[in-house]
Amino acid sequence: HDVFFPSGHYRVTSPLNPRDVDTIRGEGHPWIEQVNDENDVFYSENALRQVYDGLILKGGKTHLNLGNANEDNGMLIIENCKFYGSVEAAIQMRKNSNSTTLLIQNCQCVDCEQILITHTDFTHIRDCWFSCGKSTDGALIENRAHTLLTLDNVCGVPLVNGGDQRWIDNHGNLLCRNVRFGGESGGFTPVVNFAKY
């Protein structure tokens, strides 16, 4: 099953909970705005094989709060999306979603508390642009899994506030190719590595 959002501005007060949905697609980048800072825009308990494509998500707690019960065959694709002003992470793949690959490509994230918290076995970020840094103590990207996070062709513009800011907290394996972590106002720490040698 597919869900299609025509171009427009959609205001929601409760999390959208896609069940038995394969693709959530927008035409003309529809705005989906969560007006309640305590609620997510999308929340899924069974995000197994889903595609989020062509959406603009704004406000709320977390834009895409996804997870599954360590299901084999998990593959999540987030592409051509824009994320603005989340109170917490724009995207979160929750604990116990290990046997899953998460691909984020051709996306923008602006003025969110964090960009991503991931617990998946494989997370790939490609061809993205980020301008974030609201948090005074934390990383914009948290690789919480003990496996692989890759960044490829990513441009980051830091919003420096003088706190203990980092681009990536890494607890697994990390591979960065053609990544600009930015240096405006001195920038902030690219990577803090928590993985055991």
Side-chain angles (χ1 to χ4, degrees), residues 25-149:
R25 192 178 312 278
E27 178 184 74
H29 280 98
W31 281 77
I32 304 174
E33 180 179 3
Q34 174 58 263
V35 297
N36 185 340
D37 284 347
E38 299 296 316
N39 289 334
D40 302 320
V41 180
F42 285 94
Y43 181 91
S44 179
E45 288 284 349
N46 192 25
L48 184 58
R49 297 188 70 78
Q50 290 181 335
V51 176
Y52 293 83
D53 183 16
L55 304 172
I56 297 177
L57 305 178
K58 182 179 179 186
K61 187 175 177 182
T62 297
H63 292 151
L64 298 176
N65 190 346
L66 311 174
N68 60 52
N70 193 23
E71 298 285 343
D72 246 353
N73 219 5
M75 177 71 179
L76 280 290
I77 299 173
I78 301 165
E79 57 187 353
N80 306 313
C81 291
K82 300 177 183 180
F83 303 90
Y84 294 104
S86 62
V87 172
E88 293 185 4
I91 303 166
Q92 178 174 212
M93 276 303 295
R94 296 189 305 275
K95 289 181 181 178
N96 303 319
S97 302
N98 305 73
S99 299
T100 300
T101 294
L102 173 63
L103 172 61
I104 302 167
Q105 59 187 2
N106 299 317
C107 291
Q108 295 178 12
C109 187
V110 178
D111 201 28
C112 294
E113 182 75 8
Q114 291 179 284
I115 297 163
L116 170 68
I117 300 172
T118 182
H119 290 86
T120 64
D121 280 352
F122 295 98
T123 300
H124 308 287
I125 302 173
R126 299 179 185 155
D127 304 315
C128 292
W129 187 91
F130 303 133
S131 180
C132 296
K134 288 167 59 176
S135 174
T136 57
D137 180 17
L140 296 178
I141 298 170
E142 293 185 29
N143 179 27
R144 289 287 174 182
H146 297 284
T147 50
L148 181 62
L149 167 67

